Amino acid sequence: MNYFSTRNTKLNLSFKKIFFKGLSEDGGLFLPNQIPKLSDKELKIFEKYNFQQMSFKIFKYFIGDTFNDNELKKIIDTAYSKFREPNIVDVKILDHISYVQLHHGPTLAFKDIAMQVLGGMYELLLKSENIKINLVTATSGDTGAAAIDAIKDKKNVNIFVLHPHNKISSVQRQLMTTCNAENVFNIAIKGSFDDCQKIVKDMFVDQDFANKINMSGVNSINWARIIAQIVYYFFIYYRFNNSKKPIVVSVPTGNFGDIYAGYVAKQMGLNIKELIVATNQNNILQRCINTGEYKPLDVAESISPSMDIQVASNFERILFYLCNENAEDLKKLMNDLKTKGYFKLSKKQLENLRDHFSASSCSEDETLKIIQNIHKKFDYLIDPHTATGVKPLLDQKYKREECFCFETAHPSKFPAAILKAINLKPELPKNLKLNVNQEEKFIILDNNLEAIKEYISNKI
Ligand SMILES: *Cc1c(COP(=O)(O)O)cnc(C)c1O
């Protein structure tokens, strides 16, 4: 299987190539030239698989001959050996909602599930390639920690993580900045997550710089992350859906990576009835799905900071399909966005979009109330991102559906918000290694592309 870019369908690159590149030079995102459609027989096998076996099977469809079976199996088994839950993902059923705990990895958010696999892939590929690469990534709080944990102390790779200064939770920051590994560099940018993301994107598009430093990316646009995220849609269906009815999945959404994986799972044949894009007050995707207009506004800070995003990068992959896989039409939309500050979907495109997705937006007060209510009613604590995913499922019309809500982070990662909601400080999981008294290592830089390039150049 080979890959092209949403902005240049003539490209024909291997998985290995696009894995290292992350983002295409034309600014587009990579897509496989064919999404495998699984037969009933192939789907049936999943009933017997554990998480690692499912992961192996799904990666096999997408990676060509990049890894042989033994290598892939080892990467996956090593990745998930660090998880606190033996089944990797567990589900808690309360009333009509199944809470999908995606946060049992080393840094308490769903991003570990993909990132630990990517770490193993880099290690193996770089060992045989004999080159040194530099990962540069922007984080709204959780990608950075997950990437650092996956990359720290690995040979032939450095990681530079840009986070918005003072706009992430203290636990999120400490999980990144208390890492002592020589190959880890934390940069706090005086700006928003969108600013951080734009800097990284500009660096990728600057070919001279990207080539000079052997730059690679682990942001949520990296297709390998999407593959790893497809796995748990299959896992919840075959492990936790006893009724075998088509499932409704509500996904706390920022950059549209996690929910996009659900769309791919559906293309592969998984019986998904509805994907709900759950946003906080930064609701550009909700507005787009409801009105057809995609228009970034200023980012508002919230108690669910990992979703404080206005430019949802992975959305471009859906737009490509809405444009009937025509890169020129897609580029027109992206150009409108750049020159006019927004684009508008046609009536037909909007209908197509709504065939797969619905949307919801959750205010700060509603988020706190939901955490409070669930805690009171069930003695169960959820994090603020998860709460935004619960909101739409409380609607009467979902009471008879097979509903899943992704728990994208562990509540202890957001102690200030939890304290505000229930007046208690959440406890970190017992076996988590986080030394809060350890000195933090990070540098604060202006939102200035050249200054950041210089810092990186000097460190490598
Ligand atoms: C990253 C993140 C999200 C958003 O995921 P996307 O793939 O960017 O849509 C939601 N919740 C938490 C806790 C996250 O870390």
Side-chain angles (χ1 to χ4, degrees), residues 109-111 142 252-258 306-307 385 408-409:
F110 80 89
K111 292 182 173 90
D142 293 329
T253 295
N255 231 340
F256 205 76
D258 210 10
S306 304
M307 291 156 53
H385 303 79
T408 49

Tab-separated table of all heavy atoms in Angstrom, residues 109-111 142 252-258 306-307 385 408-409, ligand 1:
chain	number	residue	atom	x	y	z
A	109	ALA	N	-2.966	9.828	29.057
A	109	ALA	CA	-3.914	10.256	28.022
A	109	ALA	C	-3.903	9.238	26.881
A	109	ALA	O	-2.977	8.440	26.750
A	109	ALA	CB	-3.561	11.643	27.511
A	110	PHE	N	-4.926	9.297	26.046
A	110	PHE	CA	-5.061	8.301	24.972
A	110	PHE	C	-3.883	8.333	24.019
A	110	PHE	O	-3.617	7.363	23.308
A	110	PHE	CB	-6.373	8.528	24.197
A	110	PHE	CG	-6.329	9.624	23.162
A	110	PHE	CD1	-5.937	9.337	21.859
A	110	PHE	CD2	-6.657	10.934	23.481
A	110	PHE	CE1	-5.889	10.333	20.890
A	110	PHE	CE2	-6.608	11.931	22.537
A	110	PHE	CZ	-6.219	11.635	21.229
A	111	LYS	N	-3.160	9.428	23.999
A	111	LYS	CA	-2.090	9.572	23.022
A	111	LYS	C	-0.951	8.564	23.230
A	111	LYS	O	-0.236	8.248	22.302
A	111	LYS	CB	-1.568	11.002	23.034
A	111	LYS	CG	-2.631	11.963	22.492
A	111	LYS	CD	-2.158	13.371	22.430
A	111	LYS	CE	-3.159	14.266	21.736
A	111	LYS	NZ	-4.151	14.859	22.661
A	142	ASP	N	-0.906	17.041	25.822
A	142	ASP	CA	-0.777	15.602	26.008
A	142	ASP	C	0.127	14.912	24.988
A	142	ASP	O	0.818	13.950	25.324
A	142	ASP	CB	-2.160	14.953	26.002
A	142	ASP	CG	-2.973	15.383	27.220
A	142	ASP	OD1	-2.367	15.644	28.270
A	142	ASP	OD2	-4.208	15.483	27.116
A	252	PRO	N	-14.178	13.323	22.456
A	252	PRO	CA	-13.677	14.673	22.761
A	252	PRO	C	-12.623	15.051	21.715
A	252	PRO	O	-11.638	14.345	21.557
A	252	PRO	CB	-13.050	14.508	24.152
A	252	PRO	CG	-13.750	13.328	24.753
A	252	PRO	CD	-14.020	12.404	23.599
A	253	THR	N	-12.864	16.149	21.005
A	253	THR	CA	-12.098	16.399	19.786
A	253	THR	C	-11.404	17.752	19.786
A	253	THR	O	-11.971	18.761	20.217
A	253	THR	CB	-13.043	16.304	18.565
A	253	THR	OG1	-13.508	14.957	18.458
A	253	THR	CG2	-12.341	16.683	17.277
A	254	GLY	N	-10.160	17.749	19.274
A	254	GLY	CA	-9.415	18.982	19.069
A	254	GLY	C	-8.907	19.025	17.647
A	254	GLY	O	-9.450	19.697	16.776
A	255	ASN	N	-7.876	18.240	17.394
A	255	ASN	CA	-7.232	18.227	16.083
A	255	ASN	C	-7.865	17.214	15.121
A	255	ASN	O	-7.364	17.002	14.029
A	255	ASN	CB	-5.745	17.893	16.271
A	255	ASN	CG	-4.864	18.897	15.559
A	255	ASN	OD1	-5.309	19.603	14.655
A	255	ASN	ND2	-3.607	18.951	15.937
A	256	PHE	N	-8.931	16.562	15.550
A	256	PHE	CA	-9.714	15.666	14.702
A	256	PHE	C	-8.964	14.371	14.344
A	256	PHE	O	-9.322	13.685	13.397
A	256	PHE	CB	-10.134	16.398	13.405
A	256	PHE	CG	-11.375	15.843	12.752
A	256	PHE	CD1	-12.630	16.110	13.275
A	256	PHE	CD2	-11.282	15.058	11.617
A	256	PHE	CE1	-13.775	15.591	12.678
A	256	PHE	CE2	-12.430	14.535	11.009
A	256	PHE	CZ	-13.674	14.806	11.537
A	257	GLY	N	-7.926	14.011	15.127
A	257	GLY	CA	-7.174	12.806	14.811
A	257	GLY	C	-7.858	11.551	15.342
A	257	GLY	O	-8.022	10.561	14.625
A	258	ASP	N	-8.277	11.612	16.607
A	258	ASP	CA	-8.872	10.462	17.258
A	258	ASP	C	-10.179	10.072	16.563
A	258	ASP	O	-10.423	8.903	16.260
A	258	ASP	CB	-9.137	10.831	18.730
A	258	ASP	CG	-9.059	9.632	19.642
A	258	ASP	OD1	-8.618	8.564	19.187
A	258	ASP	OD2	-9.431	9.780	20.825
A	306	SER	N	-6.465	20.436	26.202
A	306	SER	CA	-5.990	19.654	25.054
A	306	SER	C	-6.906	19.811	23.846
A	306	SER	O	-6.605	19.336	22.763
A	306	SER	CB	-5.882	18.184	25.426
A	306	SER	OG	-5.043	18.050	26.538
A	307	MET	N	-8.041	20.458	24.059
A	307	MET	CA	-8.968	20.700	22.956
A	307	MET	C	-9.080	22.196	22.643
A	307	MET	O	-9.975	22.607	21.912
A	307	MET	CB	-10.350	20.144	23.318
A	307	MET	CG	-10.348	18.620	23.376
A	307	MET	SD	-11.647	17.934	24.417
A	307	MET	CE	-13.086	18.724	23.758
A	385	HIS	N	-12.092	16.691	29.651
A	385	HIS	CA	-12.255	16.398	28.221
A	385	HIS	C	-13.360	15.360	28.025
A	385	HIS	O	-14.234	15.505	27.177
A	385	HIS	CB	-10.938	15.880	27.630
A	385	HIS	CG	-9.797	16.826	27.812
A	385	HIS	ND1	-9.122	16.925	28.995
A	385	HIS	CD2	-9.229	17.730	26.974
A	385	HIS	CE1	-8.193	17.850	28.883
A	385	HIS	NE2	-8.231	18.357	27.661
A	408	THR	N	-10.574	10.347	27.269
A	408	THR	CA	-9.298	10.616	26.609
A	408	THR	C	-8.161	10.888	27.585
A	408	THR	O	-7.001	10.815	27.209
A	408	THR	CB	-9.434	11.793	25.623
A	408	THR	OG1	-10.083	12.874	26.281
A	408	THR	CG2	-10.235	11.377	24.407
A	409	ALA	N	-8.476	11.244	28.827
A	409	ALA	CA	-7.415	11.465	29.814
A	409	ALA	C	-7.885	11.026	31.193
A	409	ALA	O	-9.087	10.918	31.462
A	409	ALA	CB	-6.995	12.927	29.853
B	1	LIG	C1	-5.370	15.326	22.233
B	1	LIG	C2	-6.529	15.229	23.129
B	1	LIG	C3	-7.843	15.369	22.653
B	1	LIG	C4	-8.141	15.694	21.215
B	1	LIG	O1	-7.769	14.675	20.335
B	1	LIG	P1	-7.643	14.994	18.769
B	1	LIG	O2	-7.133	13.742	18.165
B	1	LIG	O3	-6.646	16.120	18.665
B	1	LIG	O4	-8.982	15.400	18.291
B	1	LIG	C5	-8.892	15.186	23.536
B	1	LIG	N1	-8.661	14.928	24.840
B	1	LIG	C6	-7.435	14.789	25.331
B	1	LIG	C7	-7.247	14.515	26.778
B	1	LIG	C8	-6.313	14.934	24.502
B	1	LIG	O5	-5.084	14.796	25.002
